[in-house]
């Protein structure tokens, strides 16, 4: 294709409305998700939301590592799915896609760019919110960015000295409040952009707009709900997290060389290259937000892909915003953006799909099997349980307490009192697992090679609870143990109720 034909093609694309681009990419995202599946975190949170709607007490009958917002945001999707008689996963995907489209629409109304560049921004934003996440679709960080994008857009107008309407300010502030409620660390993406507005306008007024009042009201209301409705989070879960979960961090080498840092760094260099050292206000604000999101991920210190998604998405949007400047190096910039976007998308499409394990569970278990796992890997039982239309009967999604404790207990410098507290938490984790097995009698117990049968043997309570189970088959590093009756010797057969 010649340069003239390429230019003609872009002009024709520009004649299409932004709604066309957003709609086309939304349909592509739905098709992409239909061919894939929601990852372990989303699957577990949907399961948790179902249990809570059924009357279970969060942080007592079922435990979630994160604050209640991580469960509350999925409860409307689960409730709607029940009303419609549909799978919660399907409703979740459709509703999150719809919220992404709504976020792009609201942001566009706030930003109102020139018609000549509107289609480009709509397409780039739709890609970032609908296509880029791949296996991270509907993650908490994904939903948080969808909610917070109008707030970031409104802050750009503050930097430029424009006065957005009060309804836009309150709408954006409500979304920003939801983003911060989901992950308080993400406030770090808003603060530098707001700080730029204050410095550029030489006034504190941009930091006193209606959006901040709305954001604070959401956060105050959410905190009150947690305090009144979920006191166990403060009394039980938060101390446990401080003891065993939060101290465990990934290495700085891995954190700083991951996509959460490298892709925004490359995007920043490319944006400055395209802008000849002087990015536009929207592009600069997007880079600041990306930096804030990356810092938030570094503070969490886990290096998970979903933690880095907002930083990557905003970095790609920064390039897109700079490419929308008249006279920008469109061909060079678009080629570099495409390569970076493909690399980012590929990195988010690496979630393992345990199809062989699914087939083994369907073969060995009854219809709608009750499952439980002995594993440090949260992804072992989820989304597997939902794939087989089963029911997870453990209060925890994995032995995450024991897994987190091992890193600390292996540290010879750990203080004796701290070591005793961590060891006690690990022992309580094993006791809870044994109680769940005895009380709920799962049909299949998934035993991972780590910790494996040796760990079972070292814990008398778990060993006693597993006496009525025998290994049935091995799938990779996982052994499926099935429950059997005293009068049945065939371990491959299910013990009837």
């Amino acid at each position: 294709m010649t340069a003239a034909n390429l230019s003609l093609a872009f002009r024709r694309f520009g004649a299409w409305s932004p709604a066309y681009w957003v709609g086309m990419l939304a349909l592509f995202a739905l098709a992409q998700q239909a061919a894939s599946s929601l990852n372990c975190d989303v699957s577990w949170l949907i399961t948790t939301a179902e249990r809570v709607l059924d009357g279970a007490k969060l942080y007592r009958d079922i435990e979630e590592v994160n604050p209640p917002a991580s469960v509350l945001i999925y409860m409307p999707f689960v409730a709607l799915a029940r009303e419609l008689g549909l799978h919660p996963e399907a409703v979740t995907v459709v509703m999150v896609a719809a919220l992404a489209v709504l976020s792009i629409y609201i942001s566009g109304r706030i930003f109102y760019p020139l018609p000549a560049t509107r289609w480009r921004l709509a397409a780039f934003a739709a890609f970032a919110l609908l296509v880029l996440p791949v296996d991270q679709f509907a993650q908490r960080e994904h939903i948080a960015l969808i909610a917070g994008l109008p707030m970031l857009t409104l802050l750009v107008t503050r930097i430029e000295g424009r006065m957005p309407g009060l309804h836009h300010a309150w709408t954006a502030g409500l979304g920003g409040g939801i983003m911060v409620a989901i992950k308080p660390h993400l406030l770090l993406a808003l603060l530098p952009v707001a700080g730029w507005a204050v410095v550029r306008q030489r006034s504190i007024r941009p930091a006193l707009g209606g959006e901040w009042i709305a954001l604070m009201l959401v956060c105050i209301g959410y905190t009150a709900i947690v305090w009144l409705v979920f006191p166990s989070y403060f009394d039980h879960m938060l101390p446990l997290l401080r003891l065993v979960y939060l101290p465990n961090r990934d290495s700085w080498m891995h954190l700083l060389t991951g996509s959460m840092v490298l892709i925004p760094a490359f995007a920043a260099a490319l944006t400055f290259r395209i802008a000849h050292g002087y990015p536009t206000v929207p592009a600069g604000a997007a880079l600041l937000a990306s930096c804030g999101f990356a810092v938030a991920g570094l503070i969490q210190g886990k290096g998970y892909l979903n933690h880095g998604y907002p930083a990557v998405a905003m970095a790609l949007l920064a390039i897109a915003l700079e490419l929308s400047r008249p006279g920008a190096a469109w061909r060079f910039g678009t080629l570099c953006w495409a390569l970076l976007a493909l690399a980012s998308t590929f990195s988010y499409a690496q979630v393992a799909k345990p199809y062989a394990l699914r087939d083994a569970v369907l073969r060995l278990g009854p219809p709608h099997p009750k499952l439980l796992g002995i594993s440090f890997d949260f992804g072992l039982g989820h989304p597997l349980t939902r794939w087989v239309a089963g029911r997870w009967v453990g209060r925890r999604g994995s032995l995450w307490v024991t897994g987190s404790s091992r890193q600390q207990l292996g540290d010879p410098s750990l203080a004796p009192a701290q070591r005793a507290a961590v060891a006690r938490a690990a022992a309580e984790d094993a006791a809870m697992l044994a109680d769940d097995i005895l009380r709920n009698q799962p049909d299949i117990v998934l035993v991972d090679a780590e910790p494996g049968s040796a760990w079972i043997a070292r814990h008398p309570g778990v060993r006693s609870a597993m006496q009525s189970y025998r290994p049935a088959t091995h799938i990779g590093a996982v052994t499926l143990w099935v429950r059997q009756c005293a009068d049945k010797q065939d371990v491959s057969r299910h013990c009837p109720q």
Side-chain angles (χ1 to χ4, degrees):
M1 180 178 287
T2 65
N5 290 336
L6 201 60
S7 177
L8 178 61
F10 281 129
R11 284 199 298 271
R12 288 176 177 174
F13 289 160
W16 295 341
S17 71
Y20 173 86
W21 286 100
V22 174
M24 184 176 66
L25 287 172
L27 290 176
F28 179 83
L30 293 177
Q32 177 179 265
Q33 292 303 311
S36 182
S37 64
L38 298 177
N39 69 15
C40 60
D41 289 340
V42 179
S43 179
W44 167 251
L45 289 169
I46 289 175
T47 296
T48 305
E50 288 179 332
R51 296 267 290 272
V52 173
L53 287 174
D54 288 335
K57 194 74 172 178
L58 187 60
Y59 306 115
R60 186 193 67 185
D61 303 320
I62 186 166
E63 292 191 0
E64 162 55 23
V65 174
N66 294 280
S70 293
V71 178
L72 295 176
I73 57 176
Y74 296 97
M75 289 179 68
F77 307 149
V78 173
L80 179 60
R82 289 183 172 183
E83 288 293 322
L84 299 176
L86 300 173
H87 290 294
E89 287 83 354
V91 173
T92 298
V93 168
V94 172
M95 291 302 297
V96 170
L99 290 173
V101 172
L102 179 62
S103 176
I104 294 170
Y105 172 76
I106 294 173
S107 300
R109 296 281 296 186
I110 294 172
F111 190 48
Y112 55 86
L114 295 174
T117 61
R118 189 174 297 158
W119 72 270
R120 297 179 185 174
L121 295 179
F124 283 124
F127 174 86
L129 294 185
L130 292 165
V131 179
L132 174 65
V134 197
D135 290 335
Q136 305 303 318
F137 197 91
Q139 270 277 21
R140 290 151 295 160
E141 289 80 5
H142 182 210
I143 296 175
L145 181 59
I146 289 172
L149 185 62
M151 177 79 169
L152 288 166
T153 305
L154 186 132
L155 292 177
V156 171
T157 68
R158 298 285 192 196
I159 296 172
E160 294 178 335
R162 290 188 274 153
M163 295 296 293
L166 186 61
H167 64 291
H168 282 153
W170 278 83
T171 301
L174 290 174
I178 293 172
M179 181 180 78
V180 174
I182 294 173
K183 281 286 184 81
H185 310 76
L186 301 185
L187 181 63
L188 293 174
L190 300 177
L191 293 180
V193 184
W196 188 13
V198 170
V199 171
R200 179 158 178 151
Q201 298 302 320
R202 298 181 181 180
S203 170
I204 195 68
R205 290 185 62 187
L208 302 176
E211 64 273 16
W212 292 105
I213 298 175
L215 184 149
M216 286 188 293
L217 289 176
V218 171
C219 292
I220 292 171
Y222 166 67
T223 304
I225 291 173
V226 176
W227 189 269
L228 296 173
V229 182
F230 304 102
S232 295
Y233 177 74
F234 295 105
D235 301 336
H236 166 63
M237 184 52 61
L238 195 54
L240 183 60
L241 294 175
R242 288 172 175 167
L243 178 66
V244 300
Y245 184 75
L246 296 180
N248 292 333
R249 295 176 55 87
D250 203 350
S251 68
W252 279 107
M253 176 63 70
H254 187 267
L255 289 172
L256 295 176
T257 57
S259 60
M260 178 170 61
V261 173
L262 287 185
I263 291 178
F266 283 132
L270 177 60
T271 302
F272 275 89
R273 167 68 177 79
I274 297 171
H276 301 292
Y278 297 95
T280 62
V281 167
L287 288 177
L288 279 177
S290 177
C291 181
F293 281 129
V295 172
L298 292 175
I299 289 174
Q300 293 176 85
K302 303 300 181 184
Y304 300 148
L305 287 174
N306 53 297
H307 289 181
Y309 161 74
V312 172
M314 289 306 300
L316 292 175
L317 277 177
I319 301 173
L321 288 164
E322 191 58 43
L323 287 174
S324 298
R325 173 194 282 187
W330 171 256
R331 294 176 188 171
F332 168 76
T334 303
L335 176 61
C336 293
W337 180 92
L339 293 174
L340 202 57
L342 287 174
S344 305
T345 305
F346 178 78
S347 71
Y348 291 133
Q350 300 303 302
V351 175
K353 307 293 192 300
Y355 296 124
L357 194 58
R358 174 200 60 189
D359 295 341
V361 171
L362 291 173
R363 184 177 70 254
L364 294 172
H368 309 293
K370 294 187 294 183
L371 300 178
L372 203 147
I374 299 179
S375 173
F376 304 144
D377 182 6
F378 194 79
L380 176 61
H382 321 281
L384 173 65
T385 302
R386 305 192 66 83
W387 282 4
V388 300
R391 184 160 61 94
W392 187 263
V393 294
R395 277 169 281 181
R396 290 173 177 165
S398 69
L399 290 171
W400 64 268
V401 173
T402 303
S404 298
S405 300
R406 297 184 73 182
Q407 182 175 340
Q408 292 190 70
L409 294 175
D411 182 3
S413 64
L414 189 66
Q418 183 80 356
R419 181 178 298 276
V422 172
R424 186 164 54 250
E428 291 171 356
D429 196 25
M432 179 182 291
L433 173 68
D435 183 64
D436 286 340
I437 294 173
L438 291 172
R439 180 184 303 179
N440 300 312
Q441 297 187 343
D443 299 304
I444 297 176
V445 178
L446 307 168
V447 181
D448 209 341
E450 185 69 23
S453 56
W455 182 88
I456 296 174
R458 289 197 304 268
H459 293 79
V462 179
R463 185 174 67 244
S464 175
M466 290 290 289
Q467 283 182 350
S468 59
Y469 292 82
R470 296 292 182 271
T473 188
H474 302 275
I475 303 295
V478 181
T479 303
L480 284 75
W481 293 50
V482 298
R483 188 164 60 89
Q484 58 180 357
C485 293
D487 60 344
K488 291 187 180 290
Q489 299 303 317
D490 182 4
V491 297
S492 67
R493 295 185 62 186
H494 165 65
C495 176
Q497 296 292 337

